[in-house]
Amino acid sequence: MNTDNPKIKFRVVNNISFEIKKYINAYQTGDVYIFVDQNTKRECLPVLSGDMKFPDKNIIEIKSGENNKSMDTAIFMWDYLSRNGVKRNSLVINIGGGMLCDLGAFVASTIKRGIKYINVPTTLLAMIDAAIGGKAGLNFNGLKNEIGLIQQPEDVIIDVRFLKTLNKENLLSGLGEMLKYGLIFDAEQWNRLISFNLDELDYKQLEGLINESALIKKYFVEKDPFEKDIRKALNFGHTFGHAFESYSIKTRLPLLHGKAIAYGMICESYLSNKEAGLSSASFDSICSFIINTFGKPAISKNNFKQYLDLMKYDKKNTDNKINCTLIPEIGQFSINNCFSSNEILKALDFLVKI
Ligand SMILES: NC(=O)c1ccc[n+]([C@@H]2O[C@H](COP(=O)([O-])OP(=O)(O)OC[C@H]3O[C@@H](n4cnc5c(N)ncnc54)[C@H](O)[C@@H]3O)[C@@H](O)[C@H]2O)c1
Ligand SMILES: [Zn+2]
């Protein structure tokens, strides 16, 4: 395993076709494979292709939706590549949100013992998070990202124009993850985000916020690519959030990732307020912004046991203790805080009563 700290690449560009064309020209015709899902094929491929023509056989379309981030879909993708003569020096371009980027990265990084891949994120969440940092994988046995690896992409190319076709729900999901960066690392970014108007998008301003968020992600991944230490800061909101999300996958009542994380951040801010010194004023402002923006959570006391079990199975935890990242104040983080089931239940209780 290469243990050198990677240089994380990402670029915010305003002519995505030009950037992609450079890659296409550097490869033999037929050696570039493009992964899209149903929606990104329709909405994003035309933005990107412009005057470029990709051979149909090199465009691999999968079904959209978190339920399809599965071994079955990976098998379909491996099978397709293998039957169509993929080579060790072929290139994969992932055009899609976090689901497509995670899965496409995993498939590319495992076929032929790994071929190069590029991420072209098309959702807000993927632009600021999922496409950056090299985490690749799929859901398995009802658990989020249970199978996977860390392999850095060759390039991550961000063009905010893709967001013009993204619905409000998915914009909100991206916002949830962006809020996290402000909360763990940059109080000014938090203030900018809570005053940003998502209903009338100012794309120039959004581009700046995306760039800032992606830089924060880059900072943590470069310092700690294998999540042994400070990269765990990025898990703020995710111990609870992943449980809400995993449960929603099981019950087929989808709860988008960033929204699940936003509710997770309420629970973990609650623990931060109790245990890590987060002031009550900051705690109140976090809760009220999240509830005003995302609405009240559809989370029921009847499911507490299931949430707790999911948290215990999370890869981040050991010895039956549940590990959370906390925030001593807005803009600061503290990793490796362990909690008993009882303390976790109190945080869940706070959320359902909010
Ligand atoms: N690898 C990481 O570090 C990391 C970090 C955060 C999240 N994730 C993963 O990311 C996934 C969630 O990603 P997501 O929120 O981007 O969801 P997603 O990829 O499922 O995309 C959401 C929906 O938007 C559609 N879509 C994508 N781009 C579009 C566009 N420009 N216009 C119209 N529709 C478009 C998709 O087809 C899909 O229906 C989860 O699986 C999560 O685990 C990974
Ligand atoms: Zn996340």
Side-chain angles (χ1 to χ4, degrees):
M1 182 168 54
N2 180 6
T3 51
D4 293 346
N5 284 14
K7 275 271 153 257
I8 299 301
K9 289 185 215 159
F10 79 86
R11 301 180 285 146
V12 181
V13 303
N14 46 33
N15 189 344
I16 188 82
S17 305
F18 177 75
E19 302 299 329
I20 294 297
K21 208 179 266 177
K22 284 198 271 187
Y23 279 103
I24 304 273
N25 292 341
Y27 282 76
Q28 301 265 333
T29 316
D31 277 352
V32 179
Y33 293 87
I34 297 186
F35 290 158
V36 281
D37 72 19
Q38 292 160 291
N39 299 323
T40 61
K41 182 173 186 188
R42 192 186 60 247
E43 306 292 353
C44 306
L45 205 53
V47 178
L48 186 145
S49 359
D51 53 355
M52 269 181 285
K53 187 87 191 96
F54 305 112
D56 278 350
K57 88 167 188 40
N58 287 50
I59 299 175
I60 303 168
E61 178 188 340
I62 61 168
K63 287 190 191 139
S64 59
E66 188 65 26
N67 287 333
N68 296 305
K69 190 173 147 183
S70 65
M71 192 54 91
D72 286 348
T73 316
I75 290 170
F76 163 78
M77 294 158 98
W78 282 318
D79 184 63
Y80 191 100
L81 291 173
S82 174
R83 284 174 195 273
N84 282 278
V86 69
K87 303 194 198 96
R88 280 235 50 194
N89 61 356
S90 299
L91 176 75
V92 160
I93 305 181
N94 294 317
I95 301 171
M99 176 269 181
L100 189 283
C101 288
D102 275 14
L103 193 55
F106 178 70
V107 166
S109 304
T110 45
I111 194 149
K112 302 265 175 208
R113 297 205 190 95
I115 66 173
K116 290 181 176 169
Y117 74 94
I118 293 174
N119 283 337
V120 177
T122 62
T123 62
L124 181 55
L125 184 116
M127 290 178 186
I128 51 112
D129 190 1
I132 301 169
K135 281 193 185 173
L138 46 84
N139 305 327
F140 188 67
N141 269 351
L143 294 170
K144 283 275 305 170
N145 305 325
E146 179 74 344
I147 307 285
L149 47 80
I150 296 183
Q151 180 67 44
Q152 297 303 329
E154 273 303 288
D155 205 350
V156 177
I157 315 175
I158 299 169
D159 188 329
V160 292
R161 281 178 306 160
F162 287 123
L163 300 180
K164 293 191 171 158
T165 55
L166 194 67
N167 61 24
K168 174 90 189 278
E169 220 190 334
N170 276 293
L171 282 172
L172 275 173
S173 179
L175 176 69
E177 201 74 68
M178 276 171 122
L179 294 174
K180 176 192 79 181
Y181 292 123
L183 289 175
I184 60 168
F185 200 64
D186 185 347
E188 282 175 23
Q189 173 84 339
W190 163 259
N191 288 330
R192 281 192 289 270
L193 286 167
I194 61 175
S195 52
F196 182 68
N197 185 353
L198 216 61
D199 291 318
E200 281 172 39
L201 284 184
D202 173 337
Y203 284 92
K204 257 289 154 252
Q205 200 189 353
L206 183 57
E207 202 175 83
L209 292 168
I210 289 171
N211 196 47
E212 283 299 313
S213 300
L215 279 171
I216 297 174
K217 171 112 194 215
K218 173 180 155 81
Y219 168 83
F220 282 103
V221 178
E222 284 185 349
K223 282 241 169 334
D224 177 23
F226 293 99
E227 206 173 302
K228 303 264 180 267
D229 187 32
I230 68 163
R231 186 172 177 173
K232 292 181 191 169
L234 300 176
N235 292 333
F236 179 59
H238 283 62
T239 300
F240 286 76
H242 269 167
F244 302 147
E245 197 183 8
S246 292
Y247 185 74
S248 81
I249 297 171
K250 278 190 178 168
T251 54
R252 298 191 177 254
L253 292 168
L255 176 60
L256 293 186
H257 181 76
K259 188 170 178 176
I261 297 319
Y263 295 136
M265 288 192 292
I266 291 187
C267 295
E268 292 174 33
S269 297
Y270 171 90
L271 295 174
S272 301
N273 177 244
K274 295 277 172 248
E275 304 293 335
L278 176 68
S279 67
S280 295
S282 297
F283 177 46
D284 289 347
S285 85
I286 294 167
C287 294
S288 57
F289 182 76
I290 291 178
I291 296 299
N292 285 338
T293 310
F294 295 87
K296 289 208 178 208
I299 282 167
S300 154
K301 203 163 180 155
N302 299 334
N303 306 127
F304 279 11
K305 172 145 184 6
Q306 282 98 322
Y307 298 139
L308 203 54
D309 287 346
L310 283 161
M311 284 186 238
K312 284 183 185 158
Y313 282 123
D314 194 297
K315 358 181 215 330
K316 296 187 281 295
N317 299 317
T318 44
D319 301 336
N320 250 349
K321 283 273 188 183
I322 295 170
N323 193 314
C324 294
T325 292
L326 301 183
I327 49 167
E329 212 15 275
I330 293 179
Q332 299 168 11
F333 64 88
S334 144
I335 57 172
N336 295 333
N337 300 279
C338 289
F339 292 97
S340 65
S341 301
N342 209 19
E343 291 164 307
I344 297 291
L345 288 172
K346 282 188 193 153
L348 285 170
D349 209 44
F350 175 81
L351 182 65
V352 287
K353 288 187 181 144
I354 207 164

